[in-house]
Amino acid sequence: LKKQLLYDSQAINKEGKLVPLPRSPCVSAVLAMFLESKARHDTGEIAEVVSGLETYFNQSLKPVLLYKSEQDQYEAFLSQKQSEPSKVYGAEHLLRLLVKLPDLLPYTLMEDTAIDSLQKHLTDLLKYLNKNHNSLFLKMYKKLDGANVSS
């Protein structure tokens, strides 16, 4: 997954490429597949974590997760489609959230035991993303101009 993050940064910030939107599978679908994979082993706590992650993703995408060069694409696509970011963006942006989340958690009002439990589930999600890397992440981004923001 580290290689994915490096590719992501290089492609977008140095090569002027973007992730074509909408992505399939989208963040909502990735989280649903993860939840389904854990359903046999979990008591329901994971469903709450997945729901919270999706909400947090939707709220943090523009201010925290997007590179500056992705802002125009975000504005153009979401103004046309009127959709939640988790239904448009994919695993590439979800991975960015998972990397930034540990730095953001100390600023929440969560108790230490809840943070520990959340971190366990986030680790499981990272393992899921790594195991399913080929089917969840794009192999190559596309060079897109401001007018061509979708695939």
Side-chain angles (χ1 to χ4, degrees):
L1 294 177
K2 285 182 184 180
K3 287 180 184 179
Q4 179 65 44
L5 286 168
L6 289 173
Y7 171 73
D8 186 59
S9 177
Q10 175 78 21
I12 293 168
N13 295 315
K14 302 255 194 278
E15 298 172 18
K17 296 180 179 179
L18 296 172
V19 175
L21 300 178
R23 280 286 290 118
S24 181
C26 64
V27 169
S28 291
V30 170
L31 291 174
M33 290 183 288
F34 170 67
L35 181 59
E36 186 177 311
S37 77
K38 301 302 273 180
R40 298 176 296 226
H41 309 290
D42 203 272
T43 60
E45 181 179 283
I46 190 73
E48 186 177 334
V49 168
V50 164
S51 175
L53 268 177
E54 186 168 354
T55 299
Y56 204 77
F57 180 87
N58 287 331
Q59 294 174 349
S60 66
L61 179 73
K62 186 178 179 190
V64 178
L65 304 178
L66 292 180
Y67 293 116
K68 185 176 181 179
S69 59
E70 294 176 302
Q71 294 287 332
D72 288 343
Q73 181 191 37
Y74 170 89
E75 294 296 337
F77 194 86
L78 289 175
S79 68
Q80 293 170 6
K81 303 293 180 183
Q82 301 296 320
S83 187
E84 291 184 326
S86 61
K87 307 279 192 234
V88 175
Y89 288 83
E92 299 80 12
H93 292 83
L94 177 60
L95 182 58
R96 292 184 205 172
L97 174 63
L98 295 175
V99 168
K100 292 182 184 259
L101 209 49
D103 294 334
L104 302 173
L105 285 177
Y107 300 104
T108 67
L109 300 175
M110 295 174 69
E111 295 179 15
D112 288 345
T113 54
I115 290 176
D116 291 344
S117 178
L118 176 59
Q119 287 178 327
K120 177 197 169 297
H121 293 304
L122 295 177
T123 299
D124 288 346
L125 178 54
L126 285 168
K127 288 177 184 176
Y128 177 83
L129 292 175
N130 193 46
K131 179 180 176 184
N132 297 285
H133 185 272
N134 288 337
S135 63
L136 299 177
F137 291 91
L138 284 176
K139 308 289 181 275
M140 297 178 70
Y141 296 2
K142 294 185 179 178
K143 184 88 171 166
L144 299 173
D145 63 18
N148 183 15
V149 295
S150 61
S151 58

